[in-house]
Amino acid sequence: MISELRDSTAHVFVDAIDTPALDEIDAHHLLRVLRVKPSDAVTVSDGRGKWCSCVVSADAGIEATSEVFTTAAPNWRLTVAFSPVKGERAEWTVQKLTEIGIDEIIVLAPTIRSVVRWDDGRSNKNIQRLRRVAREAAMQSRRTWLPVVHGATEMSTIANLFIADPTGDCLDASHRVIAVGPEGGFAPQETQNCAGLVSLGDTVLRAETAAISAAVLMSDYRRKQGQP
Ligand code: SAH
């Protein structure tokens, strides 16, 4: 972890790293909620690996105080797909997957046993909300690569998809795209054409716990890849 990012008072995403500017919501968050002072170090990122240190003035002007650095893209991308779960657990899941470092978060189109079904109108609104949650979580966890949140996607269109199932193989570095089922699990016909089944342990996990477990295990394999 880069210490300037870890130690900054706030981390924020901007459209253009060479001419950083705060949008209204971020300006309000930094100045009114976090009460950032002109003497505080803030980091900004374009969400595509580039970042720099900055200071923010009382009128929300932002000025770079370092060169622009680039963090390398991850060795490989990690994807977690999940069925929308009840209440606020979808937001919670996206927040945690983002903190852990997942690159692609896919909301599955309704599966056979889905209890929660986002209809079209609501689905768009819900996905926009999940994208905001991901952006805020990425600020909190000092990411320099923003995750992509995909709206309602049919499982059959996802390449190299492994399905989380207690009867599956133990997870290893070959598992990079994992789908977690709804509360009632996947129906047998939904798991037939996937790349394989992957187990996350010997207990039956709730859907959101399974998504987090898949994320932690996959990202641990990826981290170790960079070590001797
Ligand atoms: N009664 C359902 C429980 C579903 S739990 C069933 O037996 O399938 C929701 C989802 O979490 C499951 O569809 C599965 O994808 C995932 N899951 C739960 N526990 C798991 C485990 N130990 N290993 C892998 N996936 C698990």
Short mmCIF file of all heavy atoms in Angstrom, two decimals, residues 25-87:
data_model
loop_
_atom_site.label_atom_id
_atom_site.label_comp_id
_atom_site.label_asym_id
_atom_site.label_seq_id
_atom_site.Cartn_x
_atom_site.Cartn_y
_atom_site.Cartn_z
N ILE A 25 -20.74 17.42 -5.36
CA ILE A 25 -20.98 16.46 -4.26
C ILE A 25 -19.67 16.18 -3.52
O ILE A 25 -19.62 16.19 -2.29
CB ILE A 25 -21.58 15.14 -4.81
CG1 ILE A 25 -22.98 15.44 -5.37
CG2 ILE A 25 -21.62 14.05 -3.75
CD1 ILE A 25 -23.62 14.28 -6.11
N ASP A 26 -18.58 15.98 -4.29
CA ASP A 26 -17.29 15.71 -3.64
C ASP A 26 -16.79 16.93 -2.88
O ASP A 26 -16.22 16.82 -1.79
CB ASP A 26 -16.24 15.28 -4.68
CG ASP A 26 -16.53 13.89 -5.24
OD1 ASP A 26 -17.18 13.11 -4.53
OD2 ASP A 26 -16.12 13.62 -6.38
N ALA A 27 -17.02 18.12 -3.45
CA ALA A 27 -16.58 19.36 -2.77
C ALA A 27 -17.31 19.47 -1.43
O ALA A 27 -16.70 19.75 -0.39
CB ALA A 27 -16.90 20.57 -3.65
N HIS A 28 -18.62 19.19 -1.44
CA HIS A 28 -19.40 19.25 -0.20
C HIS A 28 -18.87 18.21 0.80
O HIS A 28 -18.66 18.50 1.98
CB HIS A 28 -20.88 19.00 -0.51
CG HIS A 28 -21.73 19.01 0.72
ND1 HIS A 28 -22.04 17.87 1.42
CD2 HIS A 28 -22.32 20.04 1.38
CE1 HIS A 28 -22.78 18.19 2.46
NE2 HIS A 28 -22.97 19.50 2.46
N HIS A 29 -18.62 17.00 0.31
CA HIS A 29 -18.15 15.92 1.18
C HIS A 29 -16.81 16.28 1.82
O HIS A 29 -16.62 16.13 3.04
CB HIS A 29 -18.04 14.64 0.35
CG HIS A 29 -17.65 13.45 1.17
ND1 HIS A 29 -18.49 12.89 2.10
CD2 HIS A 29 -16.51 12.71 1.19
CE1 HIS A 29 -17.89 11.87 2.68
NE2 HIS A 29 -16.69 11.74 2.15
N LEU A 30 -15.89 16.78 1.01
CA LEU A 30 -14.55 17.09 1.53
C LEU A 30 -14.59 18.26 2.52
O LEU A 30 -14.02 18.19 3.60
CB LEU A 30 -13.60 17.41 0.37
CG LEU A 30 -12.68 16.25 -0.05
CD1 LEU A 30 -13.48 15.05 -0.50
CD2 LEU A 30 -11.72 16.69 -1.14
N LEU A 31 -15.28 19.34 2.10
CA LEU A 31 -15.20 20.57 2.91
C LEU A 31 -16.15 20.55 4.10
O LEU A 31 -15.79 21.01 5.18
CB LEU A 31 -15.49 21.79 2.03
CG LEU A 31 -14.43 22.05 0.95
CD1 LEU A 31 -14.87 23.12 -0.01
CD2 LEU A 31 -13.10 22.42 1.60
N ARG A 32 -17.37 20.01 3.90
CA ARG A 32 -18.37 20.09 4.98
C ARG A 32 -18.40 18.84 5.85
O ARG A 32 -18.61 18.92 7.04
CB ARG A 32 -19.78 20.31 4.40
CG ARG A 32 -19.90 21.50 3.50
CD ARG A 32 -20.17 22.81 4.27
NE ARG A 32 -19.97 23.94 3.38
CZ ARG A 32 -18.86 24.68 3.35
NH1 ARG A 32 -17.88 24.44 4.20
NH2 ARG A 32 -18.73 25.68 2.50
N VAL A 33 -18.25 17.65 5.23
CA VAL A 33 -18.35 16.41 6.03
C VAL A 33 -16.98 16.07 6.65
O VAL A 33 -16.85 15.91 7.85
CB VAL A 33 -18.88 15.24 5.18
CG1 VAL A 33 -19.01 13.97 6.01
CG2 VAL A 33 -20.24 15.60 4.55
N LEU A 34 -15.95 16.00 5.79
CA LEU A 34 -14.62 15.63 6.32
C LEU A 34 -13.87 16.84 6.87
O LEU A 34 -12.85 16.70 7.52
CB LEU A 34 -13.79 14.97 5.21
CG LEU A 34 -14.35 13.66 4.64
CD1 LEU A 34 -13.49 13.16 3.50
CD2 LEU A 34 -14.45 12.59 5.73
N ARG A 35 -14.38 18.03 6.59
CA ARG A 35 -13.77 19.30 7.06
C ARG A 35 -12.28 19.37 6.71
O ARG A 35 -11.41 19.64 7.55
CB ARG A 35 -13.97 19.47 8.57
CG ARG A 35 -15.44 19.55 8.94
CD ARG A 35 -15.65 19.81 10.41
NE ARG A 35 -17.06 19.87 10.72
CZ ARG A 35 -17.84 20.92 10.48
NH1 ARG A 35 -17.34 22.01 9.94
NH2 ARG A 35 -19.12 20.88 10.77
N VAL A 36 -12.00 19.09 5.45
CA VAL A 36 -10.62 19.16 4.95
C VAL A 36 -10.16 20.62 4.98
O VAL A 36 -10.89 21.52 4.58
CB VAL A 36 -10.56 18.60 3.51
CG1 VAL A 36 -9.25 18.93 2.84
CG2 VAL A 36 -10.80 17.09 3.52
N LYS A 37 -8.94 20.82 5.50
CA LYS A 37 -8.37 22.18 5.57
C LYS A 37 -7.31 22.34 4.48
O LYS A 37 -6.77 21.34 4.00
CB LYS A 37 -7.74 22.39 6.95
CG LYS A 37 -8.75 22.33 8.09
CD LYS A 37 -8.13 22.62 9.43
CE LYS A 37 -7.17 21.54 9.93
NZ LYS A 37 -7.76 20.23 10.15
N PRO A 38 -6.98 23.58 4.12
CA PRO A 38 -5.98 23.77 3.05
C PRO A 38 -4.62 23.15 3.39
O PRO A 38 -3.83 22.87 2.49
CB PRO A 38 -5.88 25.30 2.94
CG PRO A 38 -7.20 25.80 3.46
CD PRO A 38 -7.62 24.84 4.53
N SER A 39 -4.36 22.89 4.68
CA SER A 39 -3.08 22.29 5.05
C SER A 39 -3.10 20.76 4.96
O SER A 39 -2.07 20.11 5.13
CB SER A 39 -2.72 22.71 6.48
OG SER A 39 -3.80 22.38 7.34
N ASP A 40 -4.27 20.17 4.69
CA ASP A 40 -4.38 18.70 4.66
C ASP A 40 -3.96 18.14 3.29
O ASP A 40 -4.27 18.72 2.26
CB ASP A 40 -5.84 18.27 4.92
CG ASP A 40 -6.27 18.52 6.35
OD1 ASP A 40 -5.39 18.53 7.24
OD2 ASP A 40 -7.48 18.73 6.57
N ALA A 41 -3.31 16.99 3.34
CA ALA A 41 -2.96 16.31 2.08
C ALA A 41 -4.14 15.47 1.61
O ALA A 41 -4.69 14.66 2.35
CB ALA A 41 -1.75 15.42 2.31
N VAL A 42 -4.52 15.70 0.37
CA VAL A 42 -5.63 14.96 -0.24
C VAL A 42 -5.02 14.24 -1.45
O VAL A 42 -4.09 14.75 -2.07
CB VAL A 42 -6.73 15.96 -0.68
CG1 VAL A 42 -7.77 15.31 -1.57
CG2 VAL A 42 -7.39 16.57 0.55
N THR A 43 -5.53 13.06 -1.77
CA THR A 43 -5.06 12.41 -3.00
C THR A 43 -6.22 12.34 -3.99
O THR A 43 -7.37 12.19 -3.59
CB THR A 43 -4.51 11.00 -2.73
OG1 THR A 43 -5.41 10.30 -1.86
CG2 THR A 43 -3.13 11.05 -2.09
N VAL A 44 -5.89 12.50 -5.26
CA VAL A 44 -6.92 12.38 -6.30
C VAL A 44 -6.47 11.34 -7.32
O VAL A 44 -5.28 11.14 -7.54
CB VAL A 44 -7.22 13.73 -7.03
CG1 VAL A 44 -7.66 14.79 -6.04
CG2 VAL A 44 -6.07 14.19 -7.86
N SER A 45 -7.45 10.69 -7.92
CA SER A 45 -7.15 9.64 -8.91
C SER A 45 -8.14 9.74 -10.05
O SER A 45 -9.27 10.22 -9.87
CB SER A 45 -7.26 8.27 -8.24
OG SER A 45 -7.24 7.25 -9.21
N ASP A 46 -7.71 9.27 -11.22
CA ASP A 46 -8.64 9.25 -12.35
C ASP A 46 -9.40 7.91 -12.42
O ASP A 46 -10.18 7.69 -13.34
CB ASP A 46 -7.92 9.52 -13.68
CG ASP A 46 -6.90 8.44 -14.02
OD1 ASP A 46 -6.73 7.49 -13.24
OD2 ASP A 46 -6.27 8.55 -15.10
N GLY A 47 -9.13 7.02 -11.44
CA GLY A 47 -9.82 5.73 -11.42
C GLY A 47 -9.29 4.76 -12.48
O GLY A 47 -9.79 3.65 -12.62
N ARG A 48 -8.24 5.19 -13.20
CA ARG A 48 -7.63 4.32 -14.21
C ARG A 48 -6.12 4.22 -13.95
O ARG A 48 -5.32 4.19 -14.87
CB ARG A 48 -7.91 4.87 -15.62
CG ARG A 48 -9.40 4.84 -15.99
CD ARG A 48 -9.67 5.40 -17.37
NE ARG A 48 -9.29 6.80 -17.49
CZ ARG A 48 -10.03 7.82 -17.05
NH1 ARG A 48 -11.18 7.61 -16.47
NH2 ARG A 48 -9.61 9.06 -17.19
N GLY A 49 -5.77 4.23 -12.66
CA GLY A 49 -4.39 3.98 -12.24
C GLY A 49 -3.55 5.21 -11.97
O GLY A 49 -2.50 5.12 -11.35
N LYS A 50 -3.99 6.38 -12.43
CA LYS A 50 -3.18 7.59 -12.21
C LYS A 50 -3.66 8.32 -10.96
O LYS A 50 -4.87 8.41 -10.72
CB LYS A 50 -3.29 8.52 -13.43
CG LYS A 50 -2.60 7.98 -14.67
CD LYS A 50 -2.40 9.11 -15.65
CE LYS A 50 -1.45 8.83 -16.77
NZ LYS A 50 -1.49 7.50 -17.35
N TRP A 51 -2.70 8.86 -10.21
CA TRP A 51 -3.07 9.60 -9.00
C TRP A 51 -2.00 10.63 -8.66
O TRP A 51 -0.87 10.54 -9.14
CB TRP A 51 -3.27 8.64 -7.82
CG TRP A 51 -2.03 7.94 -7.36
CD1 TRP A 51 -1.51 6.79 -7.89
CD2 TRP A 51 -1.13 8.35 -6.34
NE1 TRP A 51 -0.35 6.46 -7.24
CE2 TRP A 51 -0.10 7.41 -6.28
CE3 TRP A 51 -1.10 9.43 -5.45
CZ2 TRP A 51 0.96 7.50 -5.37
CZ3 TRP A 51 -0.06 9.53 -4.53
CH2 TRP A 51 0.96 8.56 -4.51
N CYS A 52 -2.35 11.61 -7.84
CA CYS A 52 -1.37 12.57 -7.33
C CYS A 52 -1.85 13.14 -6.01
O CYS A 52 -3.02 12.97 -5.63
CB CYS A 52 -1.10 13.68 -8.35
SG CYS A 52 -2.48 14.77 -8.65
N SER A 53 -0.93 13.83 -5.30
CA SER A 53 -1.30 14.51 -4.05
C SER A 53 -1.76 15.91 -4.39
O SER A 53 -1.27 16.52 -5.36
CB SER A 53 -0.10 14.58 -3.11
OG SER A 53 0.26 13.28 -2.72
N CYS A 54 -2.64 16.45 -3.56
CA CYS A 54 -3.22 17.78 -3.82
C CYS A 54 -3.51 18.50 -2.51
O CYS A 54 -3.48 17.89 -1.44
CB CYS A 54 -4.58 17.64 -4.52
SG CYS A 54 -4.47 17.15 -6.22
N VAL A 55 -3.79 19.77 -2.63
CA VAL A 55 -4.41 20.51 -1.52
C VAL A 55 -5.71 21.12 -2.04
O VAL A 55 -5.84 21.42 -3.23
CB VAL A 55 -3.48 21.62 -0.95
CG1 VAL A 55 -2.37 21.01 -0.12
CG2 VAL A 55 -2.92 22.50 -2.06
N VAL A 56 -6.65 21.28 -1.11
CA VAL A 56 -7.97 21.82 -1.47
C VAL A 56 -8.17 23.13 -0.73
O VAL A 56 -7.98 23.20 0.49
CB VAL A 56 -9.09 20.82 -1.08
CG1 VAL A 56 -10.47 21.39 -1.37
CG2 VAL A 56 -8.91 19.50 -1.81
N SER A 57 -8.53 24.19 -1.46
CA SER A 57 -8.75 25.49 -0.82
C SER A 57 -10.17 25.58 -0.27
O SER A 57 -11.02 24.75 -0.59
CB SER A 57 -8.50 26.62 -1.82
OG SER A 57 -9.42 26.48 -2.88
N ALA A 58 -10.41 26.60 0.56
CA ALA A 58 -11.72 26.74 1.21
C ALA A 58 -12.85 26.91 0.20
O ALA A 58 -14.01 26.61 0.49
CB ALA A 58 -11.68 27.93 2.17
N ASP A 59 -12.53 27.37 -1.03
CA ASP A 59 -13.59 27.52 -2.04
C ASP A 59 -13.60 26.34 -3.02
O ASP A 59 -14.09 26.46 -4.15
CB ASP A 59 -13.45 28.85 -2.78
CG ASP A 59 -12.13 28.93 -3.53
OD1 ASP A 59 -11.32 27.98 -3.41
OD2 ASP A 59 -11.90 29.92 -4.24
N ALA A 60 -13.06 25.19 -2.59
CA ALA A 60 -13.11 23.92 -3.33
C ALA A 60 -12.19 23.90 -4.56
O ALA A 60 -12.32 23.01 -5.41
CB ALA A 60 -14.54 23.54 -3.72
N GLY A 61 -11.27 24.86 -4.65
CA GLY A 61 -10.24 24.77 -5.69
C GLY A 61 -9.28 23.65 -5.31
O GLY A 61 -9.09 23.36 -4.13
N ILE A 62 -8.70 23.02 -6.29
CA ILE A 62 -7.80 21.89 -5.97
C ILE A 62 -6.52 22.04 -6.79
O ILE A 62 -6.56 22.36 -7.98
CB ILE A 62 -8.53 20.54 -6.21
CG1 ILE A 62 -7.67 19.37 -5.72
CG2 ILE A 62 -8.99 20.34 -7.63
CD1 ILE A 62 -8.49 18.13 -5.43
N GLU A 63 -5.38 21.85 -6.10
CA GLU A 63 -4.09 22.10 -6.77
C GLU A 63 -3.14 20.94 -6.49
O GLU A 63 -2.99 20.53 -5.32
CB GLU A 63 -3.51 23.40 -6.21
CG GLU A 63 -2.40 23.97 -7.05
CD GLU A 63 -1.79 25.19 -6.35
OE1 GLU A 63 -2.56 25.96 -5.75
OE2 GLU A 63 -0.56 25.31 -6.39
N ALA A 64 -2.50 20.43 -7.52
CA ALA A 64 -1.58 19.30 -7.35
C ALA A 64 -0.32 19.75 -6.61
O ALA A 64 0.18 20.85 -6.83
CB ALA A 64 -1.23 18.73 -8.72
N THR A 65 0.18 18.89 -5.72
CA THR A 65 1.42 19.18 -5.00
C THR A 65 2.47 18.10 -5.29
O THR A 65 3.50 18.05 -4.66
CB THR A 65 1.17 19.23 -3.48
OG1 THR A 65 0.56 18.00 -3.09
CG2 THR A 65 0.26 20.39 -3.10
N SER A 66 2.16 17.21 -6.20
CA SER A 66 3.13 16.16 -6.56
C SER A 66 3.01 15.90 -8.06
O SER A 66 2.07 16.37 -8.70
CB SER A 66 2.85 14.86 -5.80
OG SER A 66 1.76 14.17 -6.40
N GLU A 67 3.96 15.13 -8.57
CA GLU A 67 3.81 14.67 -9.96
C GLU A 67 2.66 13.66 -10.03
O GLU A 67 2.15 13.22 -8.97
CB GLU A 67 5.11 14.01 -10.43
CG GLU A 67 5.45 12.77 -9.60
CD GLU A 67 6.79 12.15 -9.96
OE1 GLU A 67 6.84 11.51 -11.03
OE2 GLU A 67 7.75 12.31 -9.18
N VAL A 68 2.26 13.30 -11.22
CA VAL A 68 1.23 12.27 -11.39
C VAL A 68 1.91 10.90 -11.42
O VAL A 68 2.84 10.69 -12.20
CB VAL A 68 0.42 12.51 -12.68
CG1 VAL A 68 -0.53 11.35 -12.95
CG2 VAL A 68 -0.35 13.83 -12.59
N PHE A 69 1.49 10.03 -10.52
CA PHE A 69 2.03 8.67 -10.46
C PHE A 69 1.05 7.70 -11.13
O PHE A 69 -0.13 8.00 -11.25
CB PHE A 69 2.23 8.23 -9.00
CG PHE A 69 3.15 9.12 -8.22
CD1 PHE A 69 2.64 10.11 -7.37
CD2 PHE A 69 4.53 9.00 -8.33
CE1 PHE A 69 3.48 10.94 -6.65
CE2 PHE A 69 5.39 9.84 -7.61
CZ PHE A 69 4.86 10.82 -6.77
N THR A 70 1.59 6.55 -11.53
CA THR A 70 0.71 5.54 -12.14
C THR A 70 0.88 4.22 -11.39
O THR A 70 2.01 3.76 -11.21
CB THR A 70 1.09 5.32 -13.62
OG1 THR A 70 1.02 6.57 -14.29
CG2 THR A 70 0.13 4.34 -14.31
N THR A 71 -0.22 3.64 -10.93
CA THR A 71 -0.14 2.29 -10.36
C THR A 71 -0.50 1.30 -11.47
O THR A 71 -1.43 1.55 -12.24
CB THR A 71 -1.08 2.10 -9.14
OG1 THR A 71 -2.35 2.63 -9.46
CG2 THR A 71 -0.56 2.78 -7.90
N ALA A 72 0.29 0.23 -11.53
CA ALA A 72 0.08 -0.75 -12.60
C ALA A 72 -1.31 -1.38 -12.47
O ALA A 72 -1.84 -1.52 -11.36
CB ALA A 72 1.15 -1.83 -12.50
N ALA A 73 -1.87 -1.76 -13.60
CA ALA A 73 -3.14 -2.50 -13.58
C ALA A 73 -2.88 -3.84 -12.88
O ALA A 73 -1.76 -4.34 -12.90
CB ALA A 73 -3.62 -2.74 -15.01
N PRO A 74 -3.89 -4.42 -12.24
CA PRO A 74 -3.69 -5.72 -11.58
C PRO A 74 -3.24 -6.79 -12.56
O PRO A 74 -3.51 -6.69 -13.76
CB PRO A 74 -5.06 -6.05 -10.99
CG PRO A 74 -6.03 -5.05 -11.52
CD PRO A 74 -5.27 -3.92 -12.11
N ASN A 75 -2.52 -7.81 -12.02
CA ASN A 75 -2.00 -8.91 -12.86
C ASN A 75 -3.11 -9.53 -13.69
O ASN A 75 -2.91 -9.93 -14.82
CB ASN A 75 -1.44 -10.03 -11.98
CG ASN A 75 -0.20 -9.59 -11.25
OD1 ASN A 75 0.33 -8.53 -11.55
ND2 ASN A 75 0.24 -10.37 -10.28
N TRP A 76 -4.27 -9.69 -13.09
CA TRP A 76 -5.45 -10.15 -13.83
C TRP A 76 -6.68 -9.58 -13.14
O TRP A 76 -6.63 -9.24 -11.96
CB TRP A 76 -5.51 -11.67 -13.95
CG TRP A 76 -5.60 -12.44 -12.68
CD1 TRP A 76 -6.68 -12.62 -11.88
CD2 TRP A 76 -4.54 -13.18 -12.03
NE1 TRP A 76 -6.40 -13.40 -10.80
CE2 TRP A 76 -5.08 -13.77 -10.87
CE3 TRP A 76 -3.19 -13.41 -12.34
CZ2 TRP A 76 -4.32 -14.56 -10.01
CZ3 TRP A 76 -2.45 -14.20 -11.48
CH2 TRP A 76 -3.01 -14.77 -10.33
N ARG A 77 -7.76 -9.49 -13.88
CA ARG A 77 -8.98 -8.90 -13.33
C ARG A 77 -9.80 -9.96 -12.60
O ARG A 77 -9.82 -11.12 -13.00
CB ARG A 77 -9.81 -8.25 -14.43
CG ARG A 77 -9.11 -7.02 -15.02
CD ARG A 77 -9.90 -6.36 -16.09
NE ARG A 77 -11.00 -5.52 -15.63
CZ ARG A 77 -10.88 -4.33 -15.08
NH1 ARG A 77 -9.68 -3.82 -14.88
NH2 ARG A 77 -11.94 -3.63 -14.71
N LEU A 78 -10.43 -9.52 -11.52
CA LEU A 78 -11.26 -10.42 -10.72
C LEU A 78 -12.72 -9.96 -10.80
O LEU A 78 -13.00 -8.76 -10.70
CB LEU A 78 -10.81 -10.39 -9.26
CG LEU A 78 -9.39 -10.89 -8.99
CD1 LEU A 78 -9.04 -10.74 -7.51
CD2 LEU A 78 -9.24 -12.35 -9.42
N THR A 79 -13.61 -10.94 -10.97
CA THR A 79 -15.03 -10.63 -11.15
C THR A 79 -15.88 -11.43 -10.16
O THR A 79 -15.67 -12.64 -10.00
CB THR A 79 -15.47 -11.02 -12.58
OG1 THR A 79 -14.64 -10.32 -13.52
CG2 THR A 79 -16.93 -10.68 -12.83
N VAL A 80 -16.81 -10.76 -9.53
CA VAL A 80 -17.83 -11.46 -8.72
C VAL A 80 -19.19 -11.07 -9.27
O VAL A 80 -19.50 -9.89 -9.44
CB VAL A 80 -17.74 -11.10 -7.22
CG1 VAL A 80 -18.92 -11.71 -6.45
CG2 VAL A 80 -16.41 -11.58 -6.62
N ALA A 81 -20.02 -12.09 -9.58
CA ALA A 81 -21.40 -11.87 -10.03
C ALA A 81 -22.32 -12.35 -8.92
O ALA A 81 -22.05 -13.38 -8.29
CB ALA A 81 -21.66 -12.65 -11.31
N PHE A 82 -23.38 -11.60 -8.65
CA PHE A 82 -24.32 -12.04 -7.60
C PHE A 82 -25.75 -11.67 -7.96
O PHE A 82 -25.99 -10.75 -8.73
CB PHE A 82 -23.93 -11.45 -6.23
CG PHE A 82 -24.11 -9.95 -6.12
CD1 PHE A 82 -25.27 -9.42 -5.56
CD2 PHE A 82 -23.15 -9.07 -6.57
CE1 PHE A 82 -25.46 -8.05 -5.46
CE2 PHE A 82 -23.32 -7.70 -6.48
CZ PHE A 82 -24.48 -7.18 -5.92
N SER A 83 -26.69 -12.42 -7.39
CA SER A 83 -28.11 -12.11 -7.57
C SER A 83 -28.48 -11.03 -6.55
O SER A 83 -28.06 -11.12 -5.40
CB SER A 83 -28.97 -13.33 -7.25
OG SER A 83 -28.71 -14.34 -8.16
N PRO A 84 -29.29 -10.05 -6.95
CA PRO A 84 -29.67 -9.03 -5.97
C PRO A 84 -30.31 -9.70 -4.75
O PRO A 84 -31.12 -10.62 -4.90
CB PRO A 84 -30.71 -8.18 -6.71
CG PRO A 84 -30.57 -8.51 -8.14
CD PRO A 84 -29.94 -9.86 -8.24
N VAL A 85 -29.89 -9.28 -3.59
CA VAL A 85 -30.45 -9.84 -2.35
C VAL A 85 -31.34 -8.79 -1.69
O VAL A 85 -31.38 -7.65 -2.12
CB VAL A 85 -29.31 -10.31 -1.39
CG1 VAL A 85 -28.93 -11.74 -1.67
CG2 VAL A 85 -28.09 -9.40 -1.52
N LYS A 86 -32.04 -9.21 -0.65
CA LYS A 86 -33.06 -8.33 -0.05
C LYS A 86 -32.48 -7.10 0.62
O LYS A 86 -31.34 -7.12 1.10
CB LYS A 86 -33.82 -9.13 1.01
CG LYS A 86 -34.87 -10.03 0.43
CD LYS A 86 -35.68 -10.64 1.56
CE LYS A 86 -36.31 -11.94 1.12
NZ LYS A 86 -36.42 -12.92 2.17
N GLY A 87 -33.29 -6.06 0.70
CA GLY A 87 -32.97 -4.87 1.49
C GLY A 87 -31.71 -4.20 1.00
O GLY A 87 -31.49 -4.06 -0.21
#
